[in-house]
Amino acid sequence: MADKPRVKAPKQRAATSSDDSARTRQLLLLGGAVAALAVVGVLFAAVGRGGGVPDQAAVRADLEAAGCTLQAVQAEAGRHSLTEDGTAEWNTDPPTNGPHFGFDTSGNVGTVVWGEYGEPLQLARVIHNLEHGGIYIFYGDEVSDSIVDELRAFYEEHKNGTLLAPYPKLGDKVALGAWVAEGEASKGYLAKCSAFDEGAFSSFFDAFQFRGPERFPSGSMLPGDN
């Protein structure tokens, strides 16, 4: 019996230039999608911790565990209505929201330059910083040098969008202040502590910084700028 002819395997088709082009386009599209996602991530990080409502209860629990208090108030209108005397009936002390200085026609006055200070700051300007998403760390004239040193070390790790300065009438207390937009409304948050606690302070910063009613990217709130 004659052997059956063997069936030859089909020849592999050589890739054509059009196939190569299609494959290249797919790789480029995939690479572009990955790059776009990376850019979105960078932009989100630059703007700050962004959307949603911060977990006030968790922050309060962390602060109270460290012996601190947390005051949350409905924010007053952020009108640029104050004159040179820079005083108002604010609803927290130190103030965390409400009327404040605007910029003059030369672009001056409106805010405080971000940084560390050895003298008290003009509150009518500080509030404008908070409106942009910043936080202040104020300490009273009875706070020990060792605690002030701890505050300075913490500030060094949180320089963007942060003000560190004395506020004598706090006495032996340290205050953290923020103005936070929460949907259609906004709140002023004021924490007061008798000592420095890194966990509690970090909780306040993580929840409330870079969330102001007029939100600025964190990368634009550098020490020495305003």
Side-chain angles (χ1 to χ4, degrees):
M1 182 175 178
D3 293 336
K4 291 182 178 179
R6 295 185 180 182
V7 179
K8 293 183 179 180
K11 291 183 178 180
Q12 296 296 321
R13 184 170 62 89
T16 65
S17 60
S18 60
D19 293 332
D20 290 340
S21 298
R23 198 170 293 116
T24 300
R25 284 196 298 271
Q26 290 175 342
L27 290 172
L28 288 173
L29 288 172
L30 179 60
V34 172
L37 289 173
V39 169
V40 170
V42 170
L43 288 175
F44 181 83
V47 170
R49 283 164 280 277
V53 176
D55 190 345
Q56 179 189 147
V59 178
R60 185 181 299 277
D62 290 340
L63 287 165
E64 290 180 350
C68 307
T69 61
L70 178 65
Q71 182 181 3
V73 299
Q74 292 298 322
E76 300 174 334
R79 296 185 300 272
H80 296 172
S81 59
L82 295 190
T83 55
E84 289 185 5
D85 62 358
T87 60
E89 294 297 322
W90 292 302
N91 60 9
T92 63
D93 184 22
T96 53
N97 67 94
H100 52 273
F101 282 158
F103 288 94
D104 62 21
T105 55
S106 299
N108 299 318
V109 178
T111 57
V112 177
V113 172
W114 300 108
E116 176 188 347
Y117 292 83
E119 299 293 334
L121 301 175
Q122 193 170 23
L123 298 177
R125 299 171 68 186
V126 169
I127 296 170
H128 201 157
N129 289 66
L130 269 56
E131 187 179 39
H132 290 177
I135 284 181
Y136 62 65
I137 306 172
F138 286 168
Y139 53 91
D141 58 3
E142 297 175 30
V143 173
S144 68
D145 291 342
S146 61
I147 291 177
V148 173
D149 287 342
E150 290 179 305
L151 298 178
R152 287 182 176 134
F154 183 83
Y155 164 79
E156 287 296 322
E157 299 297 323
H158 300 80
K159 285 184 175 182
N160 287 20
T162 304
L163 296 170
L164 173 62
Y167 188 70
K169 64 186 297 187
L170 281 169
D172 63 352
K173 297 290 193 297
V174 176
L176 308 176
W179 188 352
V180 179
E182 299 181 0
E184 296 296 319
S186 62
K187 288 184 179 179
Y189 287 99
L190 178 64
K192 290 185 179 179
C193 305
S194 298
F196 172 74
D197 184 281
E198 184 171 5
F201 279 44
S202 295
S203 181
F204 188 98
F205 270 69
D206 289 344
F208 300 141
Q209 196 170 36
F210 309 124
R211 292 178 178 267
E214 295 181 3
R215 195 168 301 173
F216 278 47
S218 62
S220 70
M221 302 163 72
L222 302 173
D225 293 339
N226 69 337

